[in-house]
Amino acid sequence: MKLEIINRLEGNEVLGKNIFTNDGRVLLRAGTVLNNSYINKMRELGIFYVYVEDERLEDVEVEDENVSRLKQTTMECMSRMMKNITAVSDKKIMSDYQKIVDELIDYIATSADINKSLYDIQTNNNKTYVHSIDVCVMATFIGHAMKMDSYSVKELGLAAVMHDIGKAQLPKSLLEKEGNLTKEELNEFKEHPYIGANILKKNVRIPGTVVRAVLQHHERMDGKGYPYGLEGKSISKYARIITISDVYDTIANSGDYKKTFSPNDAYELILAGSGTIFDEEIVKVFRKSFSVYPLGCCVKLSNDVEGYVVRQNENFPDRPVIRVIYDTETRNDIEPYEIDLVESINLVVKSVV
């Protein structure tokens, strides 16, 4: 399977992963043949990349079916909760929701492969939910890598999946606005951590550590974040982890950033912000836990050859194994061959294609 930028689709490709609505229902099912009508509709929905089948890359597994099932169930619950925000204060409803989130977190922490757990397809309608769930997945991996106990990992995961709950009470026009926000709009947007924390406070069963993480997830290590301008270790550990996960997923999947899929830019931004925006020690864990280029992603190397990521090399997050399946100049198919960037030290990835 391969990850393909929407503008590279020509028609007749077979969709490799389901695309979901904002309430967890299947919008477009894996196995669907993508004609021009489907492709144009996906563009209208704000989709920038999809997974499609390719027999030359059939051994590349990009999805853990258990993770996908658990994410879908979590998305269904999130949709119900965001549409009826008063449900958060209901102990029974919130308890049932926490059990579903805990099941996802338990599986991520004990059995999941990070390389098969991220990069669900985001649309204009589902991106808030998909983003929150992927932030939860990333934060859980980081927390587990930091040797947190299982109770703390569950608290972290719950805070991560709820980190943007305050946006449910912001105007839809503000959240969907294209382009830069005015100063007044930006100030209104910056209220969402405070709003989210107040929503969660209404349920006495939600730990204060979770509420604090939601409140602080836009704080920065250098004190230039919001809403309170906290610095360093005065920001909760959960919030410091969520901040990294939030920024990475936002930049990697944001059409507003470069109108393309940009996991390498997101990765470099995290590393560049170490010690100023982000906690330096957590960035080190992030760097060891996540690869720069996802499986199935097409990249261009420094010799201008293009190929697809088929395997990751442990401890070398930016040097995967690339499979070349076509001639870069003519775009004609060739006999596939692989380049291991750990062994080919004279080559580097130049860009995502």
Side-chain angles (χ1 to χ4, degrees):
M1 197 176 304
K2 63 182 178 181
L3 184 155
E4 200 69 279
I5 304 300
I6 198 80
N7 289 334
R8 284 166 60 105
L9 297 178
E10 298 177 350
N12 292 321
E13 292 90 352
V14 177
L15 187 66
K17 288 180 69 172
N18 291 336
I19 300 174
F20 295 101
T21 63
N22 60 2
D23 56 1
R25 292 179 293 111
V26 176
L27 177 66
L28 203 57
R29 192 170 298 279
T32 300
V33 178
L34 299 176
N35 56 32
N36 287 334
S37 178
Y38 282 132
I39 294 170
N40 289 332
K41 185 61 177 178
M42 288 191 292
R43 286 196 184 98
E44 291 175 11
L45 291 171
I47 294 173
F48 289 91
Y49 64 88
V50 293
Y51 285 94
V52 295
E53 295 180 5
D54 190 313
E55 62 182 11
R56 300 163 297 181
L57 300 163
E58 62 183 359
D59 58 320
V60 182
E61 298 180 4
V62 301
E63 183 174 36
D64 181 321
E65 291 184 0
N66 288 322
V67 172
S68 297
R69 174 182 58 81
L70 292 167
K71 281 184 171 185
Q72 185 176 3
T73 305
T74 304
M75 193 181 300
E76 291 171 358
C77 290
M78 285 189 69
S79 176
R80 292 197 300 270
M81 183 181 64
M82 296 289 271
K83 290 174 182 176
N84 180 23
I85 206 69
T86 58
V88 177
S89 60
D90 187 300
K91 296 178 183 178
K92 174 66 168 62
I93 293 176
M94 195 60 194
S95 178
D96 291 343
Y97 177 61
Q98 283 183 253
K99 289 177 183 177
I100 291 170
V101 175
D102 283 350
E103 189 178 355
L104 172 63
I105 293 167
D106 281 338
Y107 185 80
I108 292 296
T110 59
S111 306
D113 179 349
I114 185 59
N115 295 304
K116 301 177 184 178
S117 301
L118 295 173
Y119 305 111
D120 291 295
I121 309 306
Q122 294 190 11
T123 71
N124 290 332
N125 294 325
N126 75 13
K127 62 183 178 181
T128 296
Y129 304 149
V130 172
H131 168 69
S132 293
I133 293 170
D134 278 346
V135 170
C136 171
V137 170
M138 288 189 67
T140 298
F141 272 110
I142 293 173
H144 183 66
M146 292 175 66
K147 310 298 183 185
M148 288 185 177
D149 60 76
S150 60
Y151 181 80
S152 296
V153 170
K154 285 182 179 180
E155 282 194 339
L156 169 63
L158 179 62
V161 82
M162 304 287 278
H163 77 281
D164 273 342
I165 192 173
K167 290 182 179 179
Q169 293 192 345
L170 293 180
K172 191 175 181 180
S173 59
L174 175 65
L175 298 176
E176 296 180 354
K177 180 179 178 180
E178 296 185 4
N180 296 329
L181 301 178
T182 66
K183 183 178 180 180
E184 292 74 19
E185 289 170 334
L186 183 58
N187 288 336
E188 184 177 10
F189 178 82
K190 287 183 176 182
E191 288 290 310
H192 79 268
Y194 181 78
I195 294 170
N198 280 342
I199 290 170
L200 297 180
K201 282 179 183 177
K202 294 177 181 177
N203 191 317
V204 295
R205 291 190 176 179
I206 297 178
T209 47
V210 172
V211 176
R212 190 157 55 252
V214 170
L215 178 64
Q216 298 176 0
H217 76 273
H218 278 294
E219 300 287 359
R220 293 174 36 153
M221 295 297 287
D222 59 7
K224 295 181 180 179
Y226 62 88
Y228 298 119
L230 301 177
E231 296 183 34
K233 298 300 173 67
S234 62
I235 306 167
S236 82
K237 180 184 288 187
Y238 294 169
R240 283 179 269 138
I241 293 172
I242 293 169
T243 297
I244 290 174
S245 307
D246 179 30
V247 170
Y248 179 86
D249 188 76
T250 297
I251 300 302
N253 291 289
S254 175
D256 291 333
Y257 186 64
K258 284 192 175 179
K259 299 296 180 185
T260 188
F261 180 60
S262 308
N264 50 323
D265 291 325
Y267 197 94
E268 291 302 322
L269 189 149
I270 298 297
L271 300 188
S274 177
T276 53
I277 302 173
F278 311 111
D279 184 301
E280 187 174 2
E281 295 304 314
I282 298 174
V283 170
K284 290 179 182 177
V285 176
F286 165 83
R287 188 172 189 175
K288 291 179 180 178
S289 302
F290 298 93
S291 298
V292 179
Y293 305 100
L295 293 172
C297 175
C298 186
V299 297
K300 178 176 284 190
L301 302 180
S302 51
N303 62 356
D304 288 331
V305 168
E306 295 177 7
Y308 290 86
V309 176
V310 294
R311 289 188 302 282
Q312 307 290 359
N313 280 312
E314 189 174 0
N315 298 321
F316 295 92
D318 59 345
R319 303 193 71 79
V321 179
I322 307 299
R323 184 175 300 163
V324 181
I325 62 176
Y326 59 79
D327 181 273
T328 305
E329 292 185 2
T330 66
R331 314 297 289 185
N332 292 329
D333 291 349
I334 61 173
E335 184 68 27
Y337 67 93
E338 294 184 358
I339 301 172
D340 187 335
L341 293 182
V342 167
E343 297 177 356
S344 302
I345 58 174
N346 59 315
L347 294 175
V348 296
V349 173
K350 186 161 66 173
S351 63
V352 175
V353 182

